Amino acid sequence: MLRFLVVAAALALSTGHALANGHGGGDAPPPPKPEATTAPAKVVITKQGPKLVDLKGMTLYYYERDTTGKSSNCNGKCTESWVPLPATTDARAIGDFTVISRDDGSRMWAYRYRPLYTSAADKTPGDANGNATTLQWRIARPEN
């Protein structure tokens, strides 16, 4: 009887140990990493109301001539003053943010189908020196 109890206890301990390690035959592979779903911009509240900023806090703008939602009208020399918000080659749309292809083959982010840019005139997060109404550039706002 004592031998039976010793064997039963040994089996119980080894089974518990095996179950604690997953399947008892080594470590299970880690679960797959979830796909990145981070939006390329966020909303901040200012005295002038909410506005969109990139992940570094720089003000985002849109160009009124960008109307198709599929392309940018700011190319070449224009991008020296208005820097497209870049998207990686594997970036995917998330919420109101979409990805469009540029004339040079690069990709950029758009908000509600309006391409987004930062202004070279903005030097620090929170600056809004690029709001040029006469040139048809506007601060991107969540209601745009």
Side-chain angles (χ1 to χ4, degrees):
M1 179 71 167
L2 182 59
R3 221 181 276 176
F4 175 74
L5 288 175
V6 171
V7 170
L11 282 173
L13 286 174
S14 67
T15 303
H17 181 68
L19 291 175
N21 283 338
H23 300 285
D27 295 331
K33 291 183 180 181
E35 189 173 320
T37 55
T38 303
K42 58 188 176 182
V43 176
V44 296
I45 306 300
T46 68
K47 291 178 185 175
Q48 295 77 32
K51 70 177 180 179
L52 291 174
V53 298
D54 69 8
L55 298 179
K56 296 175 187 172
M58 301 304 286
T59 301
L60 292 170
Y61 301 86
Y62 71 91
Y63 187 34
E64 287 186 356
R65 292 185 182 171
D66 288 340
T67 57
T68 68
K70 297 179 181 177
S71 64
S72 166
N73 287 305
C74 179
N75 295 292
K77 199 150 181 76
C78 177
T79 61
E80 292 174 13
S81 298
W82 302 98
V83 182
L85 183 61
T88 61
T89 56
D90 61 344
R92 300 283 179 258
I94 177 169
D96 286 331
F97 294 96
T98 54
V99 179
I100 63 169
S101 294
R102 298 185 43 73
D103 286 357
D104 65 3
S106 65
R107 294 162 44 100
M108 71 181 291
W109 286 102
Y111 178 74
R112 294 189 177 171
Y113 301 100
R114 282 195 179 261
L116 294 170
Y117 308 84
T118 56
S119 172
D122 293 344
K123 302 302 179 198
T124 61
D127 284 354
N129 300 317
N131 197 28
T133 55
T134 58
L135 299 175
Q136 299 179 332
W137 288 92
R138 307 280 184 263
I139 293 175
R141 300 191 182 278
E143 65 271 2
N144 288 354

